[in-house]
Amino acid sequence: FAAMALHPLFAKLTAVAFLVVAVQHAVRWYYWKPVATLKIPILAILYVGYLWLVLGFFMLALSLLGYLAASPAWHVFGIGAAGVFIFGMMTRVALGHTGRPIKAMGVALAAYLTLNIALLIRVFLPLAGINDDAYLLAAILWVASFALYLFKYVPILVQPRIDGRPG
């Protein structure tokens, strides 16, 4: 990114590269058959996180071309690609490493939903000129999603494995 400031052409070339990366990841995501995962939410959330990565590269390319500020793109990467994906893995790992079936239900699904809604609000409402309320609501939903995780998974993580195995 530092080289982009040297000449405007670098920004355009980088934007093209990001568009290519976005398309490549979108094709990969599509061929992984994401619709088939909708019946398995604990797997589907990982596909959602990966889709945010695709959108992040696309939005970053738009920002480099001057059509969009960079902030929404970086929030899609941070909250969406990283946050959603890591959150999904946290729920999988907490269950699997404690000997429980790897299946998300109830509270975990609500946490997935609140986290993704937080991202949508944080990224897209400011694009419509709704800033302060969007930031506050997105922050509340972000905190709520992690509070739901703590409510559901702390009891699981502090108890012994249910299958009696060590760990």
Side-chain angles (χ1 to χ4, degrees), residues 42 45-46 82-93 112 115:
I42 203 158
I45 193 65
L46 302 178
V84 170
F85 191 81
I86 291 169
F87 196 88
M89 287 305 299
M90 287 168 42
T91 58
R92 292 178 64 85
V93 169
Y112 293 164
L115 186 57

Side-chain angles (χ1 to χ4, degrees), residues 22-35 37-38 43-54:
V23 169
Q24 289 174 328
H25 281 293
V27 169
R28 172 185 278 174
W29 179 83
Y30 174 79
Y31 280 107
W32 283 346
K33 301 184 183 350
V35 174
T37 69
L38 294 177
L43 181 58
I45 193 65
L46 302 178
Y47 282 71
V48 171
Y50 196 81
L51 184 60
W52 287 124
L53 179 76
V54 172

Side-chain angles (χ1 to χ4, degrees), residues 4 14-15 32 43-44 53 65 71 93 97 101 104 108 116-117 119-120 123 148 153 156-157:
M4 289 187 304
T14 305
W32 283 346
L43 181 58
L53 179 76
L65 294 172
S71 178
V93 169
H97 283 257
N116 281 282
I117 292 172
L119 171 62
L120 290 170
V123 170
L148 288 168
Y153 289 94
I156 290 170
L157 292 168

Side-chain angles (χ1 to χ4, degrees), residues 64-87:
L64 290 170
L65 294 172
Y67 295 112
L68 183 70
S71 178
W74 290 118
H75 281 87
V76 168
F77 279 122
I79 301 170
V84 170
F85 191 81
I86 291 169
F87 196 88

